[in-house]
Amino acid sequence: MNKIVKKEKLAERIYRLEVEAPLIAASRKAGNFIIARTGKLGERIPLTVVDSDLDKGTITLVVQEMGVSSKKICALNEGEYITDLVGPLGRPTDIKKVGTILACAGGLGAAPMLPIIKAFKEAGNRVITILAARSKDLLILKEELAANSDEFIIMTDDGTEGKKGLITVGMEEVIAREKIDECIAVGPGVMMKFCALTTKKHNIPTMVSLNAIMVDGTGMCGACRVTVGDETKFTCVDGPEFDAHKIDFDEFLLRLGGYKDQENVLLENFEKSCKLK
Amino acid sequence: AKERVEMPEVPPMVRSKSQTTEVNKGLTKEMAVEEAKRCMDCANPTCIDGCPVGINIPKFIKHIENEEPLKAIATLKESSALPAACGRVCPQEKQCEANCFYTLKLNKPAVAIGHLERYAADYENNSDEKVVQEVAPSNGIKVGVVGSGPSGLAFAGDMVKFGYDVTVFEALHEIGGVLKYGIPEFRLPNSLVDVEIESLKRMGVKFETNFIVGQTQTIEQLREQGFKSFYVASGAGLPRFMNIPGENVNGVLSANEYLTRVNLMFAGSAEADTPVIKGKNVAVIGGGNTAMDAVRTAIRMGAENAMIIYRRSLEQLPARAEEVHHAKQEGVFFNTLKNPIEFLHESGKLNAVKVQHMELGEPDASGRRRPIPIEGKTEIIPIDVAIMAIGVSPNPIIPNSVKGLDISKWGTIEVSEETRQSSVEDIYAGGDIVRGGATVILAMGDGRDAAASMHKKLQAEMNN
Ligand SMILES: Cc1cc2nc3c(=O)[nH]c(=O)nc-3n(C[C@H](O)[C@H](O)[C@H](O)COP(=O)(O)OP(=O)(O)OC[C@H]3O[C@@H](n4cnc5c(N)ncnc54)[C@H](O)[C@@H]3O)c2cc1C
Ligand SMILES: Cc1cc2nc3c(=O)[nH]c(=O)nc-3n(C[C@H](O)[C@H](O)[C@H](O)COP(=O)(O)OP(=O)(O)OC[C@H]3O[C@@H](n4cnc5c(N)ncnc54)[C@H](O)[C@@H]3O)c2cc1C
Ligand code: SF4
Ligand code: SF4
Ligand code: FES
């Protein structure tokens, strides 16, 4: 049982939660995630550790309402408890000094991106961050990302804030004007696929953090498997970060929809039961 | 001699609709006494040689015959930590019952040792009288257990009785290891495992769930907190795949994923949030206990056709004989001498498996006749779900996170056969992480051996 000590709405359907988890706060590194479960019949879902506070013994999670399980976590209030929380999971980001980093965050990807750029910046890299979303209201963690970047660019599909256009347009502009040593992309699967295609043209080593479907998060089930360079890897223990140019994105995107029909039924039932109450 | 008493079962048509209804109903007192009378109390009880933990079989059976089941359970508990589980899941036909005088000399069905063991254990569980377990006064020495499967639980039980301050760390949110997330309720009800866990808690064992040793905290950090010694029983939880084309399409999943969703997360029950794929035509690849559990779970989830695809023949199935028998009764089709070579799909969704027909050749190292492909004979079988149950590998978290630990080329932890001690002085190990996949009774036996040997060492240190 882990207590929520602070809750804040960042955008429509997106919340920041500060949760008591002293051991995880002490051992987590950039790139790690946890698995959370709400309620005795709840589902185990992976969430990135966005930040931690060693004095308070808390970790920060940013959760977007998608289906039943994320909605249940977002419905919890300050003082209430997440039933189970385990971690830190996954390999931490491989942080080293490489020169200039191009960090591409799409939508909710801003959350997992924050600890990654913090660590790269601390390691002495120049960090250029592009934050992209469909529209102004969906841009989150702007101040935090800006504070940890040498240069910060905002893009929206509809032009309601920052530059108008897809993230790849912004990437091409940066790549055209200066040498990028490594790119990191975190966001929706389709976005990461196109980021990877963009940097491949320019031969820029690129890493993405995959949000595969998971159950245990410890290597026990294989639900999270992904093909990386003709080899099957488990996202939870071999990842979540992989060489973007080696990933079979089409397979990854199909697998993300693997439980779609079942999830939709669960969501309908959940929303019906909410209305009844 | 009398006929072996038959175990009453819930009819296949009824039980195959419920994930939780136990198939075997258990012997009545009259049946148990009847069956106990068949045991001839042999002067040289060969059955005991067949039991990996050497239970005094004729002695416990005699107590049942004398209508003293609590004495029977006391005898059982001298050697087994969880007779209610072993009576149900031991491969008796390969162990104790294979070595019964009836099997060896009379060519008749063995004394139903497993069923009698279950009878005694259930009697105790259902009665108010309990066999009292003596716990030595606390010695304050902290020991840690990694993993709460049968091996870790057996170890914890013995150590707390010796007076140690025992903490069991478990990565999952639930205690019990494979007994909970793997073996389904229709074979081993969770409540039986919970009884054992409650009794360990009463004796003072502490449980830390959602705690991954090596990640949440390391062994080194636990040492700093005063843990004097560790027993690693982290199991062989990693699923293997075949590495054939199409294996990552939606609809192909590991038995671990399937069973975890259903048994640990209760997927399939109306109130649970975890989804599960319910196929119409389900194929389970493999022939062991895990394969039987998966295919029978699929039937309970509403599959219209459920089949086992196995590359050897029916006689060579490694699963417990009783499970194969029950699976057949429930309508499972055994498609033997076939080996999958490709999964076919439409827009990323499984729709068929291509199998290679096999025949049996010369015996291999294990003495079983080796399956060899019949050139040019393949077949396409339409299916919408494929469940891979072709084996597991050792959990790598501890092997990767502890320096100086000797690991075999299979990824198992190397220990001294005699003491269960690893190459790191304060770390002992047993169960599937050492054996690479074995049985509940062997895992528990290791836990008890490790407890005895660790106790001896710590005592010697204390007296110095
Ligand atoms: C390593 C890792 C880190 C993650 N970090 C975060 C985080 O910090 N914050 C956060 O909000 N989410 C994060 N996610 C994604 C999060 O786990 C999913 O959004 C969540 O599991 C959805 O569960 P649900 O029951 O609410 O929705 P579901 O009912 O499971 O899904 C609703 C819809 O979303 C789709 N979907 C399901 N799973 C995913 C997924 N993993 N990614 C994208 N779409 C999915 C489904 O196809 C479905 O249409 C992370 C995932 C991984 C693997
Ligand atoms: C589906 C299935 C059916 C089976 N049927 C039978 C049967 O009928 N009869 C039989 O005798 N045997 C059967 N077996 C085999 C038997 O269950 C195993 O041999 C036995 O459970 C091994 O016990 P264990 O304690 O070594 O490991 P496990 O039961 O695997 O328990 C290991 C535990 O350790 C935890 N863990 C792992 N790493 C860590 C870590 N770093 N920190 C904290 N915790 C950790 C895991 O989460 C797990 O709970 C079956 C197995 C399966 C999968
Ligand atoms: S523990 Fe298993 S092998 Fe031993 S007597 Fe009992 S059922 Fe037979
Ligand atoms: S071998 Fe069979 S008959 Fe003889 S003591 Fe053992 S169980 Fe009884
Ligand atoms: S989530 Fe189960 S193996 Fe990765």
Side-chain angles (χ1 to χ4, degrees), chain B residues 54-90:
Chain B
I55 285 180
N56 191 335
I57 295 168
K59 187 171 165 199
F60 98 77
I61 294 183
K62 198 81 200 160
H63 289 311
I64 293 181
E65 189 183 338
N66 296 339
E67 301 189 21
E68 291 183 308
L70 283 179
K71 283 192 180 163
I73 199 73
T75 304
L76 285 162
K77 285 197 173 170
E78 281 167 21
S79 322
S80 167
L82 237 176
C86 299
R88 286 171 166 84
V89 305
C90 263

Side-chain angles (χ1 to χ4, degrees), chain A residues 246-264:
Chain A
K246 291 193 178 152
I247 292 169
D248 181 341
F249 271 105
D250 295 333
E251 177 192 278
F252 173 71
L253 292 171
L254 282 171
R255 286 189 65 79
L256 261 189
Y259 286 88
K260 207 168 200 147
D261 299 345
Q262 290 88 343
E263 300 280 10
N264 286 343

Side-chain angles (χ1 to χ4, degrees), chain A residues 23 27 37 41-44 72 84 87-89 215 219-221 223 225 227 232 251 254-255 258-259 262 266, chain B residues 173 210 212 215-217 237-239 247-248 250 252 254 256-257 261 265-266 271-277:
Chain A
L23 298 182
S27 51
R37 191 175 80 107
L41 289 168
E43 184 183 16
R44 297 169 63 99
K72 280 193 176 171
D84 293 289
L89 301 167
V215 182
M220 207 179 85
C221 74
R225 54 197 201 282
T227 303
T232 294
E251 177 192 278
L254 282 171
R255 286 189 65 79
Y259 286 88
Q262 290 88 343
L266 288 168
Chain B
H173 58 264
N210 296 313
I212 307 177
Q215 279 171 242
T216 308
Q217 291 201 306
L238 301 207
E247 206 169 16
N248 289 347
N250 288 320
V252 183
S254 75
N256 269 11
E257 177 180 348
R261 284 180 184 273
M265 308 309 299
F266 308 107
E271 298 80 29
D273 296 340
T274 303
V276 64
I277 298 187

Side-chain angles (χ1 to χ4, degrees), chain B residues 50-53 55 57 60 80 86-87 90 92 95-96 113-114 117 441:
Chain B
C51 172
V53 295
I55 285 180
I57 295 168
F60 98 77
S80 167
C86 299
C90 263
Q92 287 97 4
Q95 297 182 352
C96 50
I113 302 170
E117 186 168 329
I441 186 70

Side-chain angles (χ1 to χ4, degrees), chain B residues 93-262:
Chain B
E93 76 280 5
K94 296 194 190 100
Q95 297 182 352
C96 50
E97 294 182 14
N99 289 281
C100 172
F101 183 75
Y102 279 85
T103 321
L104 293 180
K105 295 281 153 52
L106 304 179
N107 202 15
K108 291 228 164 78
V111 173
I113 302 170
H115 293 165
L116 289 172
E117 186 168 329
R118 167 186 166 157
Y119 167 76
D122 288 1
Y123 179 90
E124 190 204 14
N125 278 337
N126 296 328
S127 87
D128 297 329
E129 317 154 72
K130 299 272 171 221
V131 175
V132 191
Q133 315 230 29
E134 281 180 41
V135 177
S138 164
N139 62 20
I141 299 176
K142 276 164 82 169
V143 296
V145 186
V146 184
S148 68
S151 202
L153 293 180
F155 173 88
D158 276 8
M159 287 305 268
V160 79
K161 283 179 219 155
F162 295 145
Y164 291 87
D165 178 356
V166 186
T167 307
V168 179
F169 299 98
E170 170 55 52
L172 294 171
H173 58 264
E174 186 65 59
I175 302 163
V178 171
L179 303 182
K180 282 279 180 66
Y181 78 72
I183 304 179
E185 289 239 61
F186 58 79
R187 274 216 293 142
L188 177 67
N190 285 347
S191 57
L192 292 174
V193 187
D194 288 332
V195 167
E196 175 63 13
I197 294 164
E198 283 312 313
S199 122
L200 290 174
K201 281 184 184 164
R202 272 199 305 278
M203 287 191 278
V205 175
K206 294 171 207 153
F207 289 94
E208 291 272 359
T209 51
N210 296 313
F211 192 117
I212 307 177
V213 178
Q215 279 171 242
T216 308
Q217 291 201 306
T218 59
I219 293 258
E220 190 51 46
Q221 284 172 305
L222 294 172
R223 282 185 188 126
E224 284 161 18
Q225 292 160 36
F227 282 92
K228 279 281 166 290
S229 200
F230 299 90
Y231 180 61
V232 177
S234 51
L238 301 207
R240 285 202 207 120
F241 289 92
M242 297 182 79
N243 294 318
I244 57 176
E247 206 169 16
N248 289 347
V249 302
N250 288 320
V252 183
L253 66 165
S254 75
N256 269 11
E257 177 180 348
Y258 188 63
L259 292 172
T260 302
R261 284 180 184 273
V262 175

